[in-house]
Amino acid sequence: MVFRKKCFFFVSETLEKMERTLVILKPCTVQRGLIGEIISRFEKKGLVLVGMKMTWLSDETLSEHYAHLKDKPFFQRVKNAMNTCPVIVCCWEGLEAVSVVRTITGVTNGRHALPGTIRGDYSMSVQENIVHASDSTKTAVIELKRFFKEDELFSYNPSLLSNLYANDEV
Ligand code: IDP
Ligand code: MG
């Protein structure tokens, strides 16, 4: 009983330090049969999946999501490409998860992304570039609210936590 109580406090303190970030597996990834491979990259890194679903994005949602590109000539093309088929939206959790995921993802243009990054390994395009990833902690909070209801994100104790982090990190 005492052990379980201690465990509970450890978990809640740890979860407070964790960041959450949004990743969208784009239509190109779904169509190319790369869903498993891309999810596996994040899992192998040690990020914890706390939410995931398939959804078909509306033009309205995409206009909001890509509002920072609204004056670009490719705005409509980006939105069209994002609703050719359903996408997979995921929420990943970990220490500094937002910047870790951006690093794993690589730069926007797949042709320029470094080998070893997801875009560097799987993409030849600036548009068909495999994933969307939140670009800051502030954006991540807004984007997760855009794509997930509160009860679609889960908090649980990753059983391998002590193999992923040192005690003084979490
Ligand atoms: P990011 O996905 O690396 O964060 P953003 O600048 O936020 O890049 O752009 C969002 C998405 O818009 C990109 O992932 C890509 O699909 C598309 N995009 C960005 N820049 C261009 C461009 O110059 N030409 C065509 N599509 C672009
Ligand atoms: Mg972006």
Side-chain angles (χ1 to χ4, degrees), residues 45 96-107 114 116-118 133:
K45 177 66 177 170
E96 298 176 54
V98 176
S99 65
V100 167
V101 165
R102 286 291 288 193
T103 303
I104 294 174
T105 295
V107 298
L114 290 175
T117 63
I118 287 170

Side-chain angles (χ1 to χ4, degrees), residues 9-29:
F9 283 120
F10 172 69
V11 169
S12 42
E13 279 165 23
T14 298
L15 289 179
E16 268 172 35
K17 290 188 180 178
M18 295 294 176
E19 261 176 33
R20 289 180 167 186
T21 191
L22 176 80
V23 170
I24 304 176
L25 308 193
K26 296 187 175 189
C28 57
T29 308

Side-chain angles (χ1 to χ4, degrees), residues 26 66 68-69 74 77-78 102 106-108 119 126-129 131-133 135:
K26 296 187 175 189
Y66 286 120
H68 61 294
L69 302 177
F74 51 83
R77 205 184 64 203
V78 169
R102 286 291 288 193
V107 298
T108 307
R119 287 169 171 170
V126 67
Q127 182 175 279
E128 308 302 330
N129 57 3
V131 293
H132 164 83
D135 63 8

Side-chain angles (χ1 to χ4, degrees), residues 84-96:
T84 54
C85 81
V87 297
I88 309 290
V89 290
C90 325
C91 176
W92 293 97
E93 186 177 83
L95 283 185
E96 298 176 54

